[in-house]
Amino acid sequence: MPVHRSGTPHRPRLLALGTLLAAISLLSAPPSSAADTPARGSARMGMGVLAHDGQAGTPTTGDATQTEGVDVSGYQGNVAWSTLWSSGVKWAYTKATEGTYYTNPYFAQQYNGSYNVGMIRGAYHFATPDTTSGATQANYFVDHGGGWSGDGRTLPGTLDIEWNPYGAACYGKTQSAMVSWISSFLAQYKARTGRDAVIYTATSWWNDCTGNYGGFASANPLWIARYAADPGTLPAGWAYYTMWQYTSSGPTVGDHDKFNGGLDRVRALANG
């Protein structure tokens, strides 16, 4: 029979206890997916592009006339609009709302600041189709900065419909249910403002979550998200894009965009 000698460490029971405590700690810790989920309200245009589509270069200067723009959210805080204006940025979109639970605390500085330096500006809504109906969110958007005025320098509102940063990519909806949700938002926005909203999306998300539905192309301008040398294949129905978000790492403000045409075409979209 083994004899425990005085002065010899004897730790089996302590090791067993330590292993048990570690196991309990692991069981009680939140899952990594929950820890990685951002706070509601923090979503912004293009948030999922890099993770899902990656980045493959930037546009090269060509013969086509395009007008530089930016999109901003509460993530950027107070924006240096005069710096952007001096760099050649002539239009901007500001996040106004998300779902029916969030308004951008920097909206006034961003939306009015861009206008005050001479830019043509608009507002966008980050859609959360898993929380409330499309019509309900359209009303919330219009009531909190997403309206339109015929002053020649206000662009129609944009529906930002893309990957869900808080859960399932398609918000738990079937493709037909997603199309119905988008249709509800667009119809209510037009009823409230008289304008057809712009649709911001990525082709890969649109394919997965709407089945590459082409029924909105005749009325709603397309704002495509793709961080590459060209906008790539567009969603069904759209023969061309109106705007293209081409990077999230541009100067002054990361999210830079190109309008498919000269400044006169930007004004034309503002005027309706």
Side-chain angles (χ1 to χ4, degrees), residues 96-103 125 135-146 192:
T97 50
E98 176 180 319
T100 53
Y101 51 79
Y102 173 85
T103 58
H125 173 78
T136 298
Q137 291 193 30
N139 283 328
Y140 187 80
F141 178 43
V142 173
D143 291 341
H144 296 87
R192 290 288 306 273

Side-chain angles (χ1 to χ4, degrees), residues 175-258:
Q175 292 173 341
S176 60
M178 183 63 75
V179 169
S180 295
W181 192 97
I182 295 169
S183 180
S184 173
F185 182 100
L186 297 175
Q188 185 63 14
Y189 185 82
K190 185 166 186 179
R192 290 288 306 273
T193 66
R195 293 299 307 271
D196 290 303
V198 175
I199 295 175
Y200 168 96
T201 195
T203 299
S204 59
W205 184 91
W206 195 261
N207 286 341
D208 290 346
C209 298
T210 75
N212 204 22
Y213 180 75
F216 301 127
S218 61
N220 301 96
L222 173 66
W223 188 347
I224 193 69
R226 187 168 188 257
Y227 301 164
D230 59 69
T233 302
L234 303 180
W238 282 284
Y240 58 90
Y241 66 89
T242 297
M243 290 170 278
W244 168 25
Q245 187 191 52
Y246 67 88
T247 186
S248 61
S249 55
T252 307
V253 165
D255 296 348
H256 276 244
D257 311 88
K258 293 189 180 296

Side-chain angles (χ1 to χ4, degrees), residues 56-179:
T58 54
T60 56
T61 303
D63 295 331
T65 301
Q66 296 181 318
T67 307
E68 191 77 5
V70 297
D71 58 271
V72 298
S73 68
Y75 175 76
Q76 278 90 12
N78 291 323
V79 175
W81 291 111
S82 58
T83 301
L84 285 164
W85 175 261
S86 297
S87 73
V89 173
K90 300 303 177 188
W91 59 276
Y93 267 88
T94 295
K95 179 181 177 181
T97 50
E98 176 180 319
T100 53
Y101 51 79
Y102 173 85
T103 58
N104 176 6
Y106 293 93
F107 182 75
Q109 192 276 343
Q110 295 175 348
Y111 189 70
N112 297 330
S114 56
Y115 186 91
N116 290 339
V117 298
M119 293 184 192
I120 301 172
R121 52 78 191 275
Y124 78 85
H125 173 78
F126 193 95
T128 57
D130 58 338
T131 58
T132 46
S133 72
T136 298
Q137 291 193 30
N139 283 328
Y140 187 80
F141 178 43
V142 173
D143 291 341
H144 296 87
W148 175 80
S149 62
D151 60 2
R153 289 179 56 198
T154 301
L155 294 158
T158 290
L159 172 64
D160 178 358
I161 185 79
E162 56 176 296
W163 297 279
N164 178 12
Y166 311 118
C170 299
Y171 299 86
K173 292 193 175 294
T174 64
Q175 292 173 341
S176 60
M178 183 63 75
V179 169

